[in-house]
Amino acid sequence: MEGSSLRHGQAILVLLVILQFTTYIVLSSADAPFDNQRNIEYIRSSCSSTTYPRLCNRSLSIYASRINTSPRLLVHTALNVTLKASISTSRLMVKISRIHGLKPRVSAAMADCVEVSGDSVDELQQSKGELDRITSSNFALTISDIQTWVSAALTDEDTCIYGFSGKSMNGYAKTTVRKRIIKIAHLTSKALTLINKYASTQSSLP
């Protein structure tokens, strides 16, 4: 009898543990969609202040669970997305510049684009690196440096686009360059707006 009672008690204990674990899983699963929706709404609201809200929301919402509702992580992700796209575009600029038979003016414009797109990548990398090292004690100075570098990256991208102005520059190189650089410029503009917002609302490390 004592053995039977012991086994009965053990069975009840196992059932209670299983019930508690199942309840935890159900509650966690129920909270997850709510939390992620809150994160998505935060990103959408933040992007609404940018010049290109749809691009901003589309490029950042897939990282909603990573960003959570952190202004710093929002800026970090925006810089990272822009940097990755800039690196890809910079490599494409090099490939186009090596195409044989380019007109002299197009070739010169491509050379300029290769140079400034490389500068843009460097400036975005510096910005991202500085954001990783930001603290409450160096916030004001560091965020100012980041704003300067991202602004410079945007200027570089505009310089590349300007180099292809005029009908005489029409062709594959101009079409491809403008399409890619304009997208990068929009991503950079979006990142700069979020950085400026972060700078104006934060007085210390969050």
Side-chain angles (χ1 to χ4, degrees):
M1 288 293 291
E2 289 181 3
S4 177
S5 298
L6 179 61
R7 286 195 297 274
H8 182 69
Q10 289 174 334
I12 291 175
L13 180 61
V14 169
L15 285 173
L16 286 173
V17 170
I18 292 174
L19 180 61
Q20 285 181 324
F21 181 74
T22 303
T23 302
Y24 171 78
I25 294 295
V26 170
L27 289 175
S28 298
S29 299
D31 289 342
F34 173 78
D35 289 341
N36 202 51
Q37 185 59 39
R38 180 191 60 185
N39 300 341
I40 290 173
E41 287 298 328
Y42 169 71
I43 292 170
R44 182 180 294 113
S45 175
S46 299
C47 285
S48 66
S49 63
T50 66
T51 307
Y52 310 101
R54 291 181 63 183
L55 175 63
C56 176
N57 189 59
R58 188 167 65 247
S59 64
L60 296 179
S61 60
I62 57 176
Y63 303 104
S65 59
R66 180 191 305 176
I67 294 170
N68 204 330
T69 56
S70 165
R72 181 175 178 275
L73 291 178
L74 179 69
V75 169
H76 188 280
T77 305
L79 277 175
N80 199 42
V81 167
T82 305
L83 176 59
K84 286 182 178 180
S86 296
I87 291 172
S88 175
T89 297
S90 182
R91 289 171 179 168
L92 178 62
M93 296 302 103
V94 173
K95 289 181 180 179
I96 295 175
S97 71
R98 293 173 179 170
I99 294 175
H100 294 295
L102 292 176
K103 296 177 183 178
R105 283 192 62 194
V106 174
S107 181
M110 279 308 312
D112 289 341
C113 259
V114 169
E115 181 179 354
V116 296
S117 63
D119 290 342
S120 178
V121 168
D122 290 342
E123 288 149 358
L124 290 170
Q125 285 176 327
Q126 285 181 304
S127 300
K128 185 171 174 287
E130 284 301 291
L131 185 64
D132 290 336
R133 291 186 287 272
I134 202 167
T135 65
S136 57
S137 61
N138 68 12
F139 185 90
L141 180 61
T142 304
I143 203 70
S144 178
D145 287 341
I146 292 171
Q147 288 171 309
T148 299
W149 284 325
V150 176
S151 295
L154 186 58
T155 299
D156 288 332
E157 292 149 8
D158 288 340
T159 299
C160 176
I161 295 171
Y162 181 77
F164 281 89
S165 57
K167 292 183 179 180
S168 63
M169 305 292 282
N170 288 353
Y172 168 77
K174 177 179 179 178
T175 301
T176 306
V177 168
R178 284 182 61 84
K179 180 179 179 181
R180 292 296 293 268
I181 294 294
I182 285 174
K183 181 179 179 180
I184 296 302
H186 289 179
L187 286 172
T188 306
S189 172
K190 169 260 296 181
L192 182 58
T193 300
L194 295 177
I195 291 166
N196 290 340
K197 184 176 181 180
Y198 179 46
S200 67
T201 57
Q202 302 295 315
S203 58
S204 61
L205 185 68

Short mmCIF file of all heavy atoms in Angstrom, two decimals, residues 85-141:
data_model
loop_
_atom_site.label_atom_id
_atom_site.label_comp_id
_atom_site.label_asym_id
_atom_site.label_seq_id
_atom_site.Cartn_x
_atom_site.Cartn_y
_atom_site.Cartn_z
N ALA A 85 24.15 47.65 -47.60
CA ALA A 85 23.72 48.02 -48.95
C ALA A 85 24.79 48.86 -49.63
O ALA A 85 25.02 48.74 -50.85
CB ALA A 85 22.40 48.79 -48.88
N SER A 86 25.46 49.71 -48.87
CA SER A 86 26.51 50.58 -49.43
C SER A 86 27.71 49.76 -49.88
O SER A 86 28.32 50.05 -50.92
CB SER A 86 26.95 51.62 -48.40
OG SER A 86 25.89 52.49 -48.09
N ILE A 87 28.09 48.76 -49.12
CA ILE A 87 29.20 47.90 -49.48
C ILE A 87 28.90 47.17 -50.79
O ILE A 87 29.74 47.10 -51.70
CB ILE A 87 29.51 46.89 -48.36
CG1 ILE A 87 30.10 47.62 -47.15
CG2 ILE A 87 30.47 45.80 -48.85
CD1 ILE A 87 30.26 46.73 -45.92
N SER A 88 27.68 46.63 -50.89
CA SER A 88 27.27 45.94 -52.12
C SER A 88 27.29 46.88 -53.32
O SER A 88 27.77 46.52 -54.41
CB SER A 88 25.86 45.36 -51.92
OG SER A 88 25.38 44.78 -53.12
N THR A 89 26.79 48.09 -53.13
CA THR A 89 26.76 49.08 -54.22
C THR A 89 28.16 49.53 -54.61
O THR A 89 28.46 49.70 -55.79
CB THR A 89 25.90 50.29 -53.81
OG1 THR A 89 24.56 49.85 -53.60
CG2 THR A 89 25.91 51.36 -54.89
N SER A 90 29.04 49.70 -53.63
CA SER A 90 30.41 50.11 -53.91
C SER A 90 31.11 49.07 -54.78
O SER A 90 31.85 49.41 -55.72
CB SER A 90 31.18 50.30 -52.59
OG SER A 90 32.49 50.73 -52.83
N ARG A 91 30.87 47.81 -54.48
CA ARG A 91 31.47 46.74 -55.28
C ARG A 91 30.92 46.76 -56.71
O ARG A 91 31.66 46.52 -57.67
CB ARG A 91 31.19 45.39 -54.63
CG ARG A 91 31.97 45.16 -53.33
CD ARG A 91 31.50 43.93 -52.60
NE ARG A 91 32.27 43.72 -51.38
CZ ARG A 91 31.92 42.86 -50.43
NH1 ARG A 91 30.83 42.12 -50.56
NH2 ARG A 91 32.67 42.73 -49.34
N LEU A 92 29.63 47.05 -56.84
CA LEU A 92 29.03 47.13 -58.17
C LEU A 92 29.62 48.29 -58.96
O LEU A 92 29.86 48.17 -60.17
CB LEU A 92 27.52 47.30 -58.06
CG LEU A 92 26.75 47.46 -59.38
CD1 LEU A 92 26.91 46.21 -60.25
CD2 LEU A 92 25.27 47.73 -59.11
N MET A 93 29.88 49.43 -58.29
CA MET A 93 30.48 50.58 -58.97
C MET A 93 31.84 50.21 -59.56
O MET A 93 32.18 50.62 -60.68
CB MET A 93 30.66 51.75 -57.98
CG MET A 93 29.39 52.33 -57.40
SD MET A 93 28.22 52.96 -58.62
CE MET A 93 27.02 51.61 -58.64
N VAL A 94 32.61 49.44 -58.83
CA VAL A 94 33.93 49.01 -59.31
C VAL A 94 33.77 48.14 -60.57
O VAL A 94 34.51 48.31 -61.55
CB VAL A 94 34.69 48.23 -58.21
CG1 VAL A 94 35.97 47.63 -58.78
CG2 VAL A 94 35.00 49.14 -57.02
N LYS A 95 32.80 47.22 -60.54
CA LYS A 95 32.58 46.33 -61.69
C LYS A 95 32.18 47.13 -62.93
O LYS A 95 32.68 46.89 -64.03
CB LYS A 95 31.51 45.30 -61.36
CG LYS A 95 31.95 44.24 -60.36
CD LYS A 95 30.84 43.24 -60.10
CE LYS A 95 31.28 42.18 -59.10
NZ LYS A 95 30.18 41.21 -58.82
N ILE A 96 31.27 48.09 -62.76
CA ILE A 96 30.81 48.89 -63.90
C ILE A 96 31.96 49.72 -64.46
O ILE A 96 32.09 49.90 -65.67
CB ILE A 96 29.63 49.79 -63.49
CG1 ILE A 96 28.41 48.94 -63.10
CG2 ILE A 96 29.24 50.73 -64.63
CD1 ILE A 96 27.24 49.74 -62.57
N SER A 97 32.79 50.24 -63.57
CA SER A 97 33.90 51.10 -64.01
C SER A 97 34.90 50.33 -64.89
O SER A 97 35.68 50.94 -65.62
CB SER A 97 34.63 51.70 -62.81
OG SER A 97 35.37 50.71 -62.10
N ARG A 98 34.87 49.02 -64.80
CA ARG A 98 35.82 48.19 -65.56
C ARG A 98 35.25 47.70 -66.89
O ARG A 98 35.90 46.94 -67.60
CB ARG A 98 36.24 46.99 -64.71
CG ARG A 98 37.08 47.40 -63.49
CD ARG A 98 37.35 46.22 -62.57
NE ARG A 98 38.17 46.61 -61.43
CZ ARG A 98 38.40 45.83 -60.37
NH1 ARG A 98 37.86 44.62 -60.31
NH2 ARG A 98 39.17 46.26 -59.37
N ILE A 99 34.02 48.11 -67.20
CA ILE A 99 33.41 47.73 -68.47
C ILE A 99 34.18 48.40 -69.62
O ILE A 99 34.45 49.61 -69.58
CB ILE A 99 31.93 48.13 -68.53
CG1 ILE A 99 31.13 47.33 -67.48
CG2 ILE A 99 31.34 47.90 -69.92
CD1 ILE A 99 29.67 47.75 -67.39
N HIS A 100 34.53 47.63 -70.62
CA HIS A 100 35.25 48.17 -71.77
C HIS A 100 34.30 48.99 -72.65
O HIS A 100 33.12 48.68 -72.78
CB HIS A 100 35.87 47.04 -72.59
CG HIS A 100 36.95 46.30 -71.87
ND1 HIS A 100 38.14 46.89 -71.51
CD2 HIS A 100 37.02 45.01 -71.43
CE1 HIS A 100 38.90 46.00 -70.89
NE2 HIS A 100 38.23 44.85 -70.83
N GLY A 101 34.83 50.03 -73.26
CA GLY A 101 34.06 50.80 -74.23
C GLY A 101 33.23 51.92 -73.65
O GLY A 101 32.40 52.51 -74.34
N LEU A 102 33.43 52.24 -72.38
CA LEU A 102 32.69 53.36 -71.79
C LEU A 102 33.16 54.67 -72.42
O LEU A 102 34.35 54.86 -72.69
CB LEU A 102 32.91 53.42 -70.28
CG LEU A 102 32.31 52.30 -69.42
CD1 LEU A 102 32.71 52.51 -67.96
CD2 LEU A 102 30.80 52.24 -69.54
N LYS A 103 32.23 55.60 -72.63
CA LYS A 103 32.60 56.92 -73.14
C LYS A 103 33.51 57.61 -72.11
O LYS A 103 33.39 57.36 -70.91
CB LYS A 103 31.35 57.78 -73.37
CG LYS A 103 30.42 57.24 -74.44
CD LYS A 103 29.17 58.10 -74.54
CE LYS A 103 28.18 57.54 -75.56
NZ LYS A 103 26.94 58.36 -75.62
N PRO A 104 34.40 58.47 -72.56
CA PRO A 104 35.34 59.14 -71.64
C PRO A 104 34.65 59.83 -70.47
O PRO A 104 35.09 59.71 -69.31
CB PRO A 104 36.06 60.15 -72.54
CG PRO A 104 36.02 59.51 -73.90
CD PRO A 104 34.69 58.81 -73.97
N ARG A 105 33.56 60.55 -70.75
CA ARG A 105 32.85 61.26 -69.67
C ARG A 105 32.22 60.28 -68.69
O ARG A 105 32.21 60.49 -67.47
CB ARG A 105 31.78 62.19 -70.24
CG ARG A 105 32.32 63.49 -70.83
CD ARG A 105 31.20 64.47 -71.10
NE ARG A 105 30.50 64.84 -69.87
CZ ARG A 105 29.32 65.46 -69.85
NH1 ARG A 105 28.71 65.76 -70.97
NH2 ARG A 105 28.77 65.78 -68.69
N VAL A 106 31.66 59.19 -69.26
CA VAL A 106 31.05 58.16 -68.40
C VAL A 106 32.13 57.49 -67.56
O VAL A 106 31.94 57.24 -66.36
CB VAL A 106 30.30 57.12 -69.26
CG1 VAL A 106 29.81 55.97 -68.38
CG2 VAL A 106 29.13 57.77 -69.99
N SER A 107 33.26 57.20 -68.19
CA SER A 107 34.37 56.57 -67.47
C SER A 107 34.86 57.45 -66.33
O SER A 107 35.14 56.97 -65.22
CB SER A 107 35.51 56.29 -68.44
OG SER A 107 36.58 55.65 -67.78
N ALA A 108 34.94 58.76 -66.58
CA ALA A 108 35.38 59.71 -65.54
C ALA A 108 34.37 59.78 -64.40
O ALA A 108 34.74 59.81 -63.22
CB ALA A 108 35.58 61.09 -66.15
N ALA A 109 33.08 59.79 -64.77
CA ALA A 109 32.03 59.82 -63.76
C ALA A 109 32.04 58.55 -62.92
O ALA A 109 31.83 58.59 -61.69
CB ALA A 109 30.66 60.00 -64.43
N MET A 110 32.30 57.41 -63.57
CA MET A 110 32.37 56.15 -62.84
C MET A 110 33.55 56.14 -61.88
O MET A 110 33.44 55.63 -60.76
CB MET A 110 32.50 54.99 -63.82
CG MET A 110 31.20 54.53 -64.46
SD MET A 110 29.86 54.17 -63.28
CE MET A 110 30.67 53.14 -62.07
N ALA A 111 34.68 56.70 -62.31
CA ALA A 111 35.86 56.76 -61.43
C ALA A 111 35.54 57.58 -60.18
O ALA A 111 35.93 57.21 -59.06
CB ALA A 111 37.04 57.37 -62.19
N ASP A 112 34.84 58.69 -60.38
CA ASP A 112 34.43 59.52 -59.24
C ASP A 112 33.48 58.75 -58.33
O ASP A 112 33.57 58.83 -57.10
CB ASP A 112 33.75 60.80 -59.72
CG ASP A 112 34.73 61.78 -60.36
OD1 ASP A 112 35.95 61.63 -60.11
OD2 ASP A 112 34.29 62.66 -61.12
N CYS A 113 32.56 58.00 -58.94
CA CYS A 113 31.58 57.23 -58.16
C CYS A 113 32.26 56.15 -57.33
O CYS A 113 31.87 55.90 -56.18
CB CYS A 113 30.56 56.57 -59.10
SG CYS A 113 28.99 57.44 -59.16
N VAL A 114 33.24 55.49 -57.92
CA VAL A 114 33.99 54.47 -57.19
C VAL A 114 34.65 55.08 -55.96
O VAL A 114 34.61 54.53 -54.86
CB VAL A 114 35.05 53.81 -58.10
CG1 VAL A 114 36.01 52.95 -57.28
CG2 VAL A 114 34.37 52.96 -59.18
N GLU A 115 35.25 56.26 -56.15
CA GLU A 115 35.95 56.93 -55.05
C GLU A 115 34.99 57.36 -53.94
O GLU A 115 35.21 57.07 -52.76
CB GLU A 115 36.71 58.14 -55.57
CG GLU A 115 37.49 58.87 -54.47
CD GLU A 115 38.27 60.06 -55.00
OE1 GLU A 115 38.31 60.26 -56.22
OE2 GLU A 115 38.85 60.79 -54.17
N VAL A 116 33.92 58.05 -54.32
CA VAL A 116 33.02 58.59 -53.29
C VAL A 116 32.18 57.50 -52.64
O VAL A 116 31.82 57.60 -51.46
CB VAL A 116 32.11 59.71 -53.85
CG1 VAL A 116 32.94 60.89 -54.30
CG2 VAL A 116 31.22 59.21 -54.97
N SER A 117 31.85 56.43 -53.39
CA SER A 117 31.09 55.34 -52.77
C SER A 117 31.97 54.60 -51.76
O SER A 117 31.49 54.14 -50.72
CB SER A 117 30.56 54.37 -53.82
OG SER A 117 31.60 53.73 -54.53
N GLY A 118 33.28 54.52 -52.05
CA GLY A 118 34.21 53.95 -51.07
C GLY A 118 34.31 54.82 -49.83
O GLY A 118 34.35 54.31 -48.69
N ASP A 119 34.35 56.13 -50.04
CA ASP A 119 34.37 57.07 -48.91
C ASP A 119 33.11 56.92 -48.07
O ASP A 119 33.16 56.96 -46.83
CB ASP A 119 34.48 58.51 -49.41
CG ASP A 119 35.83 58.82 -50.02
OD1 ASP A 119 36.79 58.06 -49.77
OD2 ASP A 119 35.93 59.82 -50.76
N SER A 120 31.97 56.76 -48.74
CA SER A 120 30.69 56.62 -48.05
C SER A 120 30.70 55.39 -47.15
O SER A 120 30.23 55.42 -46.01
CB SER A 120 29.55 56.54 -49.06
OG SER A 120 28.31 56.36 -48.43
N VAL A 121 31.23 54.28 -47.67
CA VAL A 121 31.32 53.05 -46.88
C VAL A 121 32.18 53.28 -45.64
O VAL A 121 31.81 52.89 -44.52
CB VAL A 121 31.90 51.89 -47.72
CG1 VAL A 121 32.27 50.70 -46.83
CG2 VAL A 121 30.90 51.44 -48.78
N ASP A 122 33.33 53.94 -45.82
CA ASP A 122 34.23 54.21 -44.69
C ASP A 122 33.54 55.06 -43.62
O ASP A 122 33.67 54.81 -42.42
CB ASP A 122 35.48 54.95 -45.18
CG ASP A 122 36.40 54.05 -46.01
OD1 ASP A 122 36.25 52.82 -45.92
OD2 ASP A 122 37.23 54.60 -46.75
N GLU A 123 32.80 56.07 -44.06
CA GLU A 123 32.13 56.97 -43.12
C GLU A 123 31.01 56.27 -42.37
O GLU A 123 30.82 56.50 -41.16
CB GLU A 123 31.59 58.18 -43.89
CG GLU A 123 32.70 59.13 -44.33
CD GLU A 123 32.40 59.86 -45.63
OE1 GLU A 123 31.34 59.61 -46.23
OE2 GLU A 123 33.23 60.68 -46.05
N LEU A 124 30.30 55.39 -43.04
CA LEU A 124 29.24 54.63 -42.38
C LEU A 124 29.84 53.62 -41.39
O LEU A 124 29.28 53.39 -40.31
CB LEU A 124 28.37 53.92 -43.41
CG LEU A 124 27.49 54.83 -44.26
CD1 LEU A 124 26.86 54.06 -45.42
CD2 LEU A 124 26.39 55.48 -43.41
N GLN A 125 30.97 53.02 -41.76
CA GLN A 125 31.64 52.10 -40.84
C GLN A 125 32.12 52.82 -39.59
O GLN A 125 32.00 52.30 -38.47
CB GLN A 125 32.83 51.42 -41.55
CG GLN A 125 32.42 50.35 -42.55
CD GLN A 125 33.59 49.77 -43.30
OE1 GLN A 125 34.57 50.47 -43.59
NE2 GLN A 125 33.50 48.50 -43.65
N GLN A 126 32.67 54.03 -39.78
CA GLN A 126 33.11 54.82 -38.63
C GLN A 126 31.93 55.15 -37.73
O GLN A 126 32.03 55.08 -36.49
CB GLN A 126 33.78 56.11 -39.10
CG GLN A 126 35.17 55.92 -39.66
CD GLN A 126 35.78 57.26 -40.10
OE1 GLN A 126 35.22 57.98 -40.91
NE2 GLN A 126 36.93 57.59 -39.53
N SER A 127 30.81 55.50 -38.34
CA SER A 127 29.61 55.85 -37.57
C SER A 127 29.13 54.68 -36.74
O SER A 127 28.80 54.82 -35.56
CB SER A 127 28.50 56.31 -38.52
OG SER A 127 28.90 57.44 -39.26
N LYS A 128 29.07 53.52 -37.36
CA LYS A 128 28.62 52.32 -36.67
C LYS A 128 29.56 51.95 -35.53
O LYS A 128 29.13 51.58 -34.44
CB LYS A 128 28.51 51.16 -37.66
CG LYS A 128 27.94 49.87 -37.09
CD LYS A 128 27.67 48.88 -38.20
CE LYS A 128 27.25 47.53 -37.64
NZ LYS A 128 28.39 46.81 -37.02
N GLY A 129 30.88 52.08 -35.79
CA GLY A 129 31.85 51.79 -34.75
C GLY A 129 31.74 52.72 -33.56
O GLY A 129 31.83 52.28 -32.41
N GLU A 130 31.51 53.99 -33.83
CA GLU A 130 31.36 54.97 -32.75
C GLU A 130 30.09 54.73 -31.94
O GLU A 130 30.08 54.89 -30.72
CB GLU A 130 31.36 56.39 -33.32
CG GLU A 130 32.72 56.91 -33.71
CD GLU A 130 33.68 56.92 -32.54
OE1 GLU A 130 33.49 57.72 -31.61
OE2 GLU A 130 34.63 56.11 -32.54
N LEU A 131 29.03 54.33 -32.63
CA LEU A 131 27.77 54.05 -31.92
C LEU A 131 27.96 52.88 -30.96
O LEU A 131 27.38 52.87 -29.87
CB LEU A 131 26.66 53.75 -32.91
CG LEU A 131 25.25 53.55 -32.32
CD1 LEU A 131 24.78 54.84 -31.66
CD2 LEU A 131 24.26 53.13 -33.40
N ASP A 132 28.77 51.90 -31.35
CA ASP A 132 29.04 50.75 -30.48
C ASP A 132 29.78 51.17 -29.21
O ASP A 132 29.71 50.47 -28.19
CB ASP A 132 29.88 49.71 -31.23
CG ASP A 132 29.09 49.01 -32.33
OD1 ASP A 132 27.85 48.97 -32.22
OD2 ASP A 132 29.71 48.51 -33.29
N ARG A 133 30.51 52.28 -29.30
CA ARG A 133 31.33 52.72 -28.15
C ARG A 133 30.69 53.87 -27.38
O ARG A 133 31.31 54.41 -26.46
CB ARG A 133 32.72 53.14 -28.65
CG ARG A 133 33.57 51.98 -29.15
CD ARG A 133 34.99 52.43 -29.48
NE ARG A 133 35.03 53.21 -30.71
CZ ARG A 133 35.18 52.67 -31.92
NH1 ARG A 133 35.26 51.37 -32.06
NH2 ARG A 133 35.23 53.44 -32.99
N ILE A 134 29.49 54.25 -27.72
CA ILE A 134 28.87 55.41 -27.09
C ILE A 134 28.53 55.10 -25.63
O ILE A 134 28.12 53.99 -25.28
CB ILE A 134 27.61 55.84 -27.87
CG1 ILE A 134 27.25 57.30 -27.58
CG2 ILE A 134 26.43 54.93 -27.59
CD1 ILE A 134 26.22 57.87 -28.54
N THR A 135 28.75 56.07 -24.76
CA THR A 135 28.43 55.95 -23.34
C THR A 135 27.75 57.23 -22.88
O THR A 135 27.68 58.22 -23.62
CB THR A 135 29.70 55.72 -22.49
OG1 THR A 135 30.52 56.90 -22.57
CG2 THR A 135 30.48 54.51 -22.99
N SER A 136 27.29 57.23 -21.66
CA SER A 136 26.62 58.42 -21.12
C SER A 136 27.58 59.59 -21.01
O SER A 136 27.19 60.75 -21.16
CB SER A 136 26.02 58.11 -19.75
OG SER A 136 27.02 57.65 -18.86
N SER A 137 28.86 59.30 -20.80
CA SER A 137 29.83 60.38 -20.61
C SER A 137 30.30 61.00 -21.93
O SER A 137 30.72 62.16 -21.94
CB SER A 137 31.05 59.87 -19.83
OG SER A 137 31.69 58.82 -20.54
N ASN A 138 30.23 60.24 -23.02
CA ASN A 138 30.70 60.79 -24.30
C ASN A 138 29.57 60.95 -25.32
O ASN A 138 29.83 61.17 -26.51
CB ASN A 138 31.80 59.89 -24.89
CG ASN A 138 31.29 58.52 -25.33
OD1 ASN A 138 30.09 58.27 -25.42
ND2 ASN A 138 32.21 57.61 -25.61
N PHE A 139 28.33 60.88 -24.84
CA PHE A 139 27.18 60.84 -25.74
C PHE A 139 27.14 62.04 -26.69
O PHE A 139 27.06 61.87 -27.92
CB PHE A 139 25.87 60.78 -24.94
CG PHE A 139 24.65 60.63 -25.81
CD1 PHE A 139 24.18 59.37 -26.16
CD2 PHE A 139 23.98 61.75 -26.29
CE1 PHE A 139 23.07 59.23 -26.98
CE2 PHE A 139 22.87 61.61 -27.11
CZ PHE A 139 22.42 60.35 -27.45
N ALA A 140 27.20 63.23 -26.16
CA ALA A 140 27.02 64.44 -26.98
C ALA A 140 28.08 64.55 -28.07
O ALA A 140 27.78 64.81 -29.24
CB ALA A 140 27.05 65.68 -26.10
N LEU A 141 29.34 64.33 -27.70
CA LEU A 141 30.44 64.44 -28.66
C LEU A 141 30.38 63.33 -29.71
O LEU A 141 30.54 63.58 -30.90
CB LEU A 141 31.78 64.39 -27.93
CG LEU A 141 33.03 64.50 -28.81
CD1 LEU A 141 33.05 65.82 -29.57
CD2 LEU A 141 34.29 64.35 -27.95
#
